Amino acid sequence: MILNPLRDPRDRRLPRVPEPCALVVFGITGDLARKKLLPAVYDLANRGLLPTNFALLGFARRDWGDTEFAELARDAARAHARTQWREEVWERLAESVRFVPGSFDDDNAFDELRQVLDELEGTHGIGGNAAFYLSIPPEMFPPVLKQMQRTGMAESTPDRWRRVVVEKPFGYDLPSARALNELVDSVFGPDDVFRIDHYLGKETVQNLMALRFANTLFEPIWNGHHVDSVQITVAEDVGISGRAAFYEKTGAARDVLQNHLLQLLALTAMEEPVELSAEEIRTEKLKVLRAISLPENLATFAVRGQYEQGWLAGERVPGYRQEEGVAPDSRTETFVAVRFGVETRRWAGVPFYLRTGKRLPRRVSEIALVFKRAPHLPFAPTDTEELGNNQLVVRVQPDEGVTLKFGSKVPGSVMEVRDVSMDFLYGEKFTEASPEAYERLLLDVLLGDATLFPRNAEVEASWAAIDPLEEFWADTRPYPYRAGEWGPRAADRMLAAEGRKWRRP
Ligand code: BG6
């Protein structure tokens, strides 16, 4: 066998530790920083995956010093860390925690930030490397990026890297996403931009590639010859969790469908990449996103919903319009279900039904391949009344794992075939717990590995699929559904129109 000289010869099983560096977080007082980023930094430190020379910098409009910020960071990390709390790990980290107060239009504050970074190079040996995490509303991107450009902080040189991490939403539609991409690309080099879609950091989502490309069982049937339809669900039981200001102008399609759901679709539908590199995987995903089609009859196949007051887990919960900060006549959707097509030889004719919603009966994300019925059944019709379509379900969360559903004979003297399932559960098979998505992604940013980050062309292709939907919905009202139900009836009618049903995960 001749080995491909282009392949990376590094042994990927060795834990990789980034070079000395600093992580600068803008928007350090926000929910994301407190609940996800700071705990992820601690968890990485606890697992020995941060470099010895590492510094954490916070930037916000607060009258704090380093100590106050370090205290806030410690409390947040302690409250939300995944791994066991060890005070000595935090104390070591705390030695290199810095805070720079200031607003985004304050030149002095950014000059100071630059100075602090320079100082850390001398005192903490961070080697000039830094990742800037923009955990801030998108309106704030332009001033912050401009400040970084002005101060020269964004510049990578042969001796040091500078990277930027951009949180979603990446724009509001295709034109704004293009403008944002242009802006970011005018300040940072193309290899230095990391767009976070935290679904790609989930262990179960990465396992899709192992499932498909490391096995022989599934790939031969992973196509329109055998697959009847695909259902991808991201369901949440929570409401908007106090994020009315953000959610009112975003809605479920922009918040989850445009990014998480379409990325899951892309990974499910893509061809095998030449190798598992950032370039090759992103190229294959992009081809799928470009091949997405919408049905002509959007009134039936693109359904929006909005939750009304109802019951969840024995508790009465308010309707969306009664949530604090939501307009009483709001038309923002909290549920969306759309039938997409993927116009490739592998998938032509196979519907991809995607849905997401808030205040649904339970929190569950999954990808289900529903297989075609057998072309002929040598049984009496009554024998197979309880037999559904075979299904392969990738359970993204919770109960992470994979389920195979198929028919089996019910024990007894008559022939009766009923659905049974075979389960693989991460919790049972592996002793090590899965890292949090943000832990994995933050580490990858510091390592400079962009495999799990969508490229800007992917973001734009996703908007190109969503914009016509938004345009269609602009003059419509979302269908109401009661909190605690699986979305509006119209979503069921959508599948019924093609003789199908949603799974009840
Ligand atoms: C975020 C959305 O991107 O994903 C939230 O903005 C949503 O509205 C969240 O709740 C869901 O993520 P997860 O990991 O809890 O499924």
Side-chain angles (χ1 to χ4, degrees):
M1 186 173 75
I2 299 172
L3 285 177
N4 183 346
L6 294 174
R7 292 223 170 161
D8 185 348
R10 283 174 305 180
D11 187 345
R12 286 170 179 271
R13 282 169 305 171
L14 292 177
R16 295 172 295 164
V17 177
E19 295 171 292
C21 61
L23 173 67
V24 183
V25 183
F26 295 100
I28 200 79
T29 53
D31 247 25
L32 180 75
R34 280 189 302 112
K35 292 191 182 148
K36 300 287 183 190
L37 303 182
L38 293 167
V41 170
Y42 167 79
D43 286 325
L44 288 173
N46 201 12
R47 292 166 63 205
L49 294 176
L50 288 183
T52 318
N53 298 335
F54 173 79
L56 173 67
L57 275 85
F59 184 104
R61 206 166 43 185
R62 288 287 198 285
D63 194 13
W64 289 340
D66 295 340
T67 325
E68 278 131 320
F69 170 56
E71 257 169 47
L72 167 123
R74 177 186 178 279
D75 292 348
R78 179 148 200 185
H80 302 285
R82 178 182 66 86
T83 59
Q84 202 189 4
W85 185 257
R86 292 196 292 153
E87 200 60 41
E88 65 275 20
V89 171
W90 180 259
E91 272 167 20
R92 226 189 106 41
L93 251 180
E95 284 167 19
S96 47
V97 169
R98 294 283 181 279
F99 184 75
V100 177
S103 59
F104 298 147
D105 56 2
D106 180 352
D107 285 2
N108 292 337
F110 279 84
D111 290 341
E112 192 189 331
L113 178 61
R114 188 201 155 119
Q115 208 179 326
V116 173
L117 272 177
D118 290 345
E119 277 165 26
L120 284 168
E121 204 170 329
T123 56
H124 287 69
I126 58 163
N129 303 320
F132 300 93
Y133 201 116
L134 305 190
S135 175
I136 51 177
E139 316 78 89
M140 298 295 162
F141 291 173
V144 171
L145 288 166
K146 281 182 186 140
Q147 288 285 9
M148 284 198 263
Q149 192 168 41
R150 181 186 65 79
T151 50
M153 274 192 288
E155 233 168 86
S156 286
T157 67
D159 304 325
R160 72 165 204 208
W161 52 258
R162 292 289 162 102
R163 298 178 187 140
V164 69
V165 188
V166 188
E167 262 293 338
K168 59 178 275 278
F170 314 116
Y172 184 77
D173 52 14
L174 181 55
S176 59
R178 275 201 183 126
L180 176 63
N181 280 334
E182 266 169 35
L183 173 70
V184 177
D185 290 346
S186 70
V187 178
F188 284 89
D191 294 338
D192 299 330
V193 182
F194 292 74
R195 294 170 188 81
I196 291 248
D197 184 315
H198 77 277
Y199 261 66
L200 298 182
K202 292 185 194 272
E203 212 42 66
T204 37
V205 174
Q206 294 163 50
N207 187 40
L208 255 179
M209 282 188 274
L211 187 77
R212 292 191 54 194
F213 306 129
N215 297 305
T216 49
L217 269 183
F218 307 114
E219 205 48 27
I221 51 170
W222 205 275
N223 55 53
H225 296 302
H226 300 278
V227 175
D228 164 81
S229 54
V230 179
Q231 294 189 16
I232 310 184
T233 301
V234 170
E236 296 183 279
D237 53 357
V238 292
I240 51 164
S241 316
R243 294 155 80 214
F246 160 78
Y247 206 84
E248 271 286 81
K249 51 181 197 288
T250 309
R254 292 189 170 97
D255 187 32
V256 173
L257 177 66
Q258 185 270 343
N259 37 75
H260 308 325
L261 276 170
L262 286 184
Q263 283 290 323
L264 294 182
L265 180 153
L267 285 168
T268 306
M270 75 179 190
E271 296 302 314
E272 180 178 293
V274 173
E275 60 172 5
L276 289 187
S277 66
E279 178 61 25
E280 301 298 342
I281 292 177
R282 300 199 291 185
T283 300
E284 295 305 335
K285 280 194 294 163
L286 179 60
K287 286 203 267 187
V288 173
L289 293 168
R290 287 215 173 119
I292 279 180
S293 68
L294 286 172
E296 273 171 22
N297 181 359
L298 289 182
T300 302
F301 293 110
V303 169
R304 295 196 310 153
Q306 189 187 64
Y307 64 82
E308 295 194 320
Q309 108 178 356
W311 291 85
L312 249 167
E315 241 181 70
R316 196 184 179 84
V317 295
Y320 177 68
R321 291 178 177 189
Q322 285 88 53
E323 301 272 13
E324 206 182 320
V326 170
D329 57 351
S330 170
R331 287 185 175 192
T332 300
E333 82 281 359
T334 59
F335 173 96
V336 65
V338 180
R339 178 205 197 276
F340 290 99
V342 177
E343 305 308 322
T344 61
R345 177 171 283 227
R346 186 187 283 269
W347 295 114
V350 179
F352 282 71
Y353 300 110
L354 272 50
R355 64 176 164 170
T356 182
K358 304 264 186 205
R359 289 287 190 221
L360 300 183
R362 52 184 295 238
R363 173 176 184 257
V364 57
S365 296
E366 61 164 44
I367 301 164
L369 267 66
V370 179
F371 291 93
K372 290 185 173 164
R373 312 274 309 198
H376 167 74
L377 289 170
F379 301 92
T382 46
D383 297 348
T384 52
E385 267 171 0
E386 301 290 316
L387 174 68
N389 292 48
N390 293 171
Q391 298 182 5
L392 178 72
V393 185
V394 175
R395 294 198 312 276
V396 174
Q397 67 188 25
D399 307 329
E400 289 80 357
V402 180
T403 298
L404 196 56
K405 205 174 131 202
F406 53 92
S408 178
K409 181 181 173 305
V410 180
S413 55
V414 292
M415 177 53 82
E416 186 191 344
V417 184
R418 196 187 290 164
D419 284 337
V420 293
S421 50
M422 227 154 67
D423 272 335
F424 147 58
L425 263 171
Y426 272 78
E428 275 175 6
K429 288 288 173 241
F430 299 114
T431 45
E432 58 268 55
S434 301
E436 272 281 325
Y438 276 95
E439 232 171 295
R440 169 66 198 257
L441 296 176
L442 211 49
L443 180 63
D444 283 359
V445 169
L446 303 182
L447 288 165
D449 182 345
T451 310
L452 300 177
F453 299 81
R455 201 157 56 189
N456 55 11
E458 287 174 68
V459 172
E460 290 178 16
S462 303
W463 280 118
I466 300 296
D467 281 0
L469 293 171
E470 292 289 355
E471 210 173 291
F472 168 73
W473 285 323
D475 304 320
T476 67
R477 286 170 199 282
Y479 291 101
Y481 62 98
R482 210 173 308 150
E485 289 182 350
W486 284 102
R489 302 262 182 282
D492 296 329
R493 287 199 294 273
M494 171 173 140
L495 265 73
E498 299 188 313
R500 299 188 177 93
K501 267 189 182 164
W502 288 107
R503 276 174 44 80
R504 286 283 173 262

